[in-house]
Amino acid sequence: MNDRRGLLVWGASGHGKVVLECARAMSSFEPVSFIDDAYTIEGEFFGTPVLGTRACLAPALVRQYPNMVIAIGDNLSRAECFSVAVTWGFRLVTVIHPSAVVSCSALLGPGSVVIAGAIINANSTIGSNCIINTGATVGHDCSVGDHVHIAPHVALAGETRIGDYAHIGIGAVAVQQTVVGEHAVVGAGAVLVENVPPHVTVVGVPAHIVRQQARTVFDALSEVGSE
Amino acid sequence: MILVVTATLEAEAMECIDRARLLQNQTVAPLRTSEFLEMEVPERSREAGWDEVAIAVEDNQARAALWRHADSIGLLARSLIHPSSMISPSASIGPGSVVLARAVVNASGILGRGCILGSSSSVDHDCVLGDYVHLYPGVSLGGLVNIGRFATLHESAFVLPTVTIGEGARVGVRAVVLKHVPAHVFVSGIPARRSQATQPI
């Protein structure tokens, strides 16, 4: 309890499992438990205790589990939980799977998660509370904002800039120096050859705008799905 | 000792054999499929010292037939897992599956028997792959994807979370699958649609 290695993973879901395994693979955290807003009573998920909802957060818990990481795919929900965790005084830790490659000149913000097989190259900056998912690659000199989700197998070429809260869908590719605005949603498999304004959804090869003002990431994704 | 059964004994197969040597630090020998199918009596293979077999054949149906033959002559299935791949401790890989360099299987992923995961492919949390599924290099599956047996996903195909792909279906190169794919159809494009094409692009 006193060695300050306890870790809470917020979100007992599929993505939560992946983050939990990344944290375990780092061998830096013990004990590790979940909290999840769907667990009104204490329970267990994936062989790991779920202590309850955010209502169980208390100073004693922060002492037992000084470290926190948010494992929720939706950017806005993840950001909201992030601010709650910061308010409680948790240390938002960066979780990097040992099989990921992160350049020693890259910077990662607090609470960001780098899943297995991802690559972050020289001089790139990743903001706080981001997800760099399975096998995604971030080229040199990229700048990724806060609360961004880079889905599996996305490839960002060098000097790409991604705004806060953007969602880059599975397998999307951005050419060098692309700028993606905040809250933008990039559809799965899209190829970005020009800049993406804030608050739009783009899909296709080459990517084109299909709607303005994405309300939330998941609204927008379901729109893409029904296209 | 491991017997590696291949269709061609060409470059690809030799690479597979090299990997097997590297992985298991064991004696490995290549054998053509035709010779393997002629091997009828278990004793014959054991006399030669072979107890395990890996099958490096691309075609799903052909691979399944070879595995049935391996079962019938009592050889044990050997999975080949490249050391640079990442298999989650909670994932399970069926016997005889081949996982190539830098492939990733995340939490609770389940692979059936005789599957092939190509280089740099990724299988996310809670995915279930049936028997004899083939993911070509660079394929990426979102979480909770379900793939029926004998399905083939060609290079850099992407599948959104929770989508189901039917038995024997084929997904074209760089297709993006947003909706369920019925059994035995071929889909391609972004978003993936049914296609009459015979080529995987």
Side-chain angles (χ1 to χ4, degrees), chain A residues 14-15 17-18 21 46 97 99 101 115-117 119 133-134 152-153 170-171 173 188-189 191 204-205 221 224-227, chain B residues 86 88-90 102 104 106-108 120-122 124-126 138-142 158-160 174 176 178-179 190-191 193:
Chain A
H15 179 59
K17 288 182 196 177
V18 176
E21 286 191 345
F46 200 50
H97 192 277
S99 76
V101 177
I115 313 284
I119 300 174
N133 222 322
T134 316
H153 277 248
I170 189 167
V173 175
V191 175
V205 183
L221 281 178
V224 176
S226 61
E227 192 195 30
Chain B
M86 198 298 291
S88 151
S90 61
R102 298 221 106 212
V104 175
N106 272 336
S108 306
S120 291
S121 57
S122 73
D124 222 306
H125 62 85
D126 304 295
V139 167
S140 183
L141 311 180
F158 301 113
V159 183
L160 261 65
R174 223 160 206 292
V176 174
L178 305 173
K179 292 182 196 165
I190 305 177
R193 293 193 169 95

Side-chain angles (χ1 to χ4, degrees), chain A residues 21-200:
Chain A
E21 286 191 345
C22 287
R24 286 208 193 285
M26 292 168 78
S27 317
S28 311
F29 305 106
E30 186 62 41
V32 184
S33 295
F34 284 112
I35 62 165
D36 189 294
D37 287 338
Y39 282 72
T40 46
I41 52 164
E42 242 177 274
E44 202 190 73
F45 176 71
F46 200 50
T48 304
V50 188
L51 306 181
T53 68
R54 65 178 72 197
C56 75
L57 296 176
L61 194 72
V62 182
R63 281 195 294 279
Q64 194 184 353
Y65 297 92
N67 306 296
M68 167 89 88
V69 63
I70 320 287
I72 295 172
D74 178 67
N75 292 341
L76 295 175
S77 314
R78 191 169 68 257
E80 193 264 332
C81 297
F82 185 84
S83 63
V84 171
V86 169
T87 311
W88 274 101
F90 286 100
R91 180 167 58 204
L92 274 297
V93 289
T94 308
V95 173
I96 303 173
H97 192 277
S99 76
V101 177
V102 178
S103 155
C104 52
S105 59
L107 286 176
L108 274 87
S112 283
V113 177
V114 183
I115 313 284
I119 300 174
I120 299 171
N121 276 334
N123 207 33
S124 282
T125 309
I126 311 290
S128 27
N129 205 24
C130 292
I131 303 169
I132 311 297
N133 222 322
T134 316
T137 57
V138 176
H140 64 89
D141 301 297
C142 286
S143 158
V144 174
D146 298 333
H147 317 295
V148 170
H149 185 170
I150 309 278
H153 277 248
V154 166
L156 304 179
E159 299 166 52
T160 303
R161 299 218 315 270
I162 309 290
D164 297 346
Y165 300 97
H167 177 99
I168 315 294
I170 189 167
V173 175
V175 300
Q176 193 142 343
Q177 298 182 329
T178 305
V179 178
V180 175
E182 57 191 40
H183 293 275
V185 175
V186 175
V191 175
L192 303 178
V193 292
E194 36 190 85
N195 295 347
V196 177
H199 295 276
V200 300

